[in-house]
């Protein structure tokens, strides 16, 4: 099994690259993010995963071992082939995939072309317990919800607020009191949101 490649990229295309290793040109499939780290003529090290089928052997490469690990877990899900796994990692970072899986955020997976609501439900069901957040950085503006958000939203809707009002309150809290949001503490964030919604009173009280 080929785990890593160290060589000089000879071609970098939209969906793949050719890396020369020991005189051989290795064709590798990759995400746009990984391909953007490769420069023709400059030595690179990539992490790889080989998918072997009856009629083909395809090498996929990744900028990090974490990205490869998430890819291999994803492709272990029924109905997710390597192309779909690569598509997911083209839309989301490995940490975003971990967060989406752990919070059962089906919307994050439906953002990937070719994955519908039913497919997303199956993905989060099969990924249960297999991918957990590492605490790594998530880019600002990421569409993937923080781990605390679904729990706070569920608590607020359970208390009688609409999901729309609850989301507005969370957006306002993130803008006006980012320190509390940064703690990631569900109890603290919930208390702060309840204060902003009427000092903890139920709707209509």
């Amino acid at each position: 099994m080929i785990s890593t490649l160290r060589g000089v990229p000879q071609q970098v295309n939209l969906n793949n690259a050719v890396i020369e290793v020991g005189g051989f040109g290795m064709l590798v499939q990759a995400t746009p993010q990984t391909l953007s780290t490769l420069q023709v003529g400059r030595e690179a090290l990539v992490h790889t995963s080989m998918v072997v089928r009856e009629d083909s052997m395809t090498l996929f490469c990744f900028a990090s071992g974490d990205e490869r690990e998430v890819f291999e877990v994803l492709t272990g899900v029924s109905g997710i082939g390597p192309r779909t796994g690569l598509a997911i990692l083209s839309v989301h970072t490995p940490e975003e995939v971990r967060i989406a899986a752990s919070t059962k955020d089906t919307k994050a997976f439906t953002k990937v072309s070719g994955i519908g609501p039913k497919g997303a439900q199956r993905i989060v069901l099969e990924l249960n317990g297999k991918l957990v957040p590492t605490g790594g950085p998530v880019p600002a503006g990421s569409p993937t919800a923080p781990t605390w958000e679904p729990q706070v939203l569920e608590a607020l809707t359970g208390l009688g607020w609409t999901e729309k009002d609850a989301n507005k309150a969370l957006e306002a809290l993130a803008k006006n009191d980012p320190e509390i949001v940064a703690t990631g503490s569900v109890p603290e964030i919930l208390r702060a949101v309840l204060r902003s919604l009427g000092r903890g009173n139920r709707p209509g009280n």
Side-chain angles (χ1 to χ4, degrees):
M1 179 65 70
I2 301 175
S3 180
T4 61
L5 284 181
R6 183 186 294 276
V8 179
Q10 300 300 307
Q11 297 178 31
V12 179
N13 306 311
L14 290 175
N15 301 309
N16 56 53
V18 176
I19 300 177
E20 183 178 344
V21 181
F24 293 92
M26 308 291 288
L27 177 66
V28 295
Q29 309 293 321
T31 64
Q33 294 91 321
T34 294
L35 292 169
S36 70
T37 67
L38 303 179
Q39 296 184 38
V40 173
R42 178 173 294 184
E43 186 180 73
L45 172 68
V46 293
H47 300 260
T48 59
S49 178
M50 179 174 286
V51 176
V52 179
R53 292 180 173 169
E54 291 183 3
D55 58 348
S56 66
M57 294 175 61
T58 308
L59 198 60
F60 295 85
C61 82
F62 309 92
S64 69
D66 185 43
E67 190 177 22
R68 179 184 61 192
E69 178 187 349
V70 171
F71 171 81
E72 292 180 341
V73 173
L74 284 171
T75 53
V77 173
S78 174
I80 293 188
R83 302 293 179 186
T84 302
L86 210 63
I88 291 172
L89 287 167
S90 294
V91 174
H92 300 297
T93 67
E95 186 68 5
E96 288 171 1
V97 176
R98 292 177 185 277
I99 292 172
S102 65
T103 60
K104 298 180 174 59
D105 182 6
T106 57
K107 290 182 180 179
F109 290 105
T110 58
K111 293 180 184 294
V112 180
S113 177
I115 299 179
K118 289 185 178 179
Q121 287 283 0
R122 185 183 67 253
I123 290 171
V124 299
L125 180 65
E126 293 198 32
L127 288 179
N128 184 35
K130 296 179 181 178
L131 287 175
V132 295
T134 63
V138 177
S142 164
T144 304
T147 54
W148 54 263
E149 189 171 311
Q151 298 175 60
V152 174
L153 284 173
E154 183 178 358
L156 291 172
T157 54
L159 289 170
W161 275 279
T162 66
E163 187 173 343
K164 181 179 179 181
D165 287 341
N167 275 313
K168 284 185 177 179
L170 287 180
E171 290 174 6
L173 182 68
K175 181 179 180 180
N176 300 325
D177 207 340
E179 291 83 4
I180 290 180
V181 172
T183 67
S185 169
V186 172
E188 288 188 30
I189 294 171
L190 181 58
R191 282 195 293 268
V193 175
L194 287 172
R195 285 196 296 270
S196 70
L197 285 169
R199 300 190 179 280
N201 293 326
R202 289 176 180 271
N205 287 358

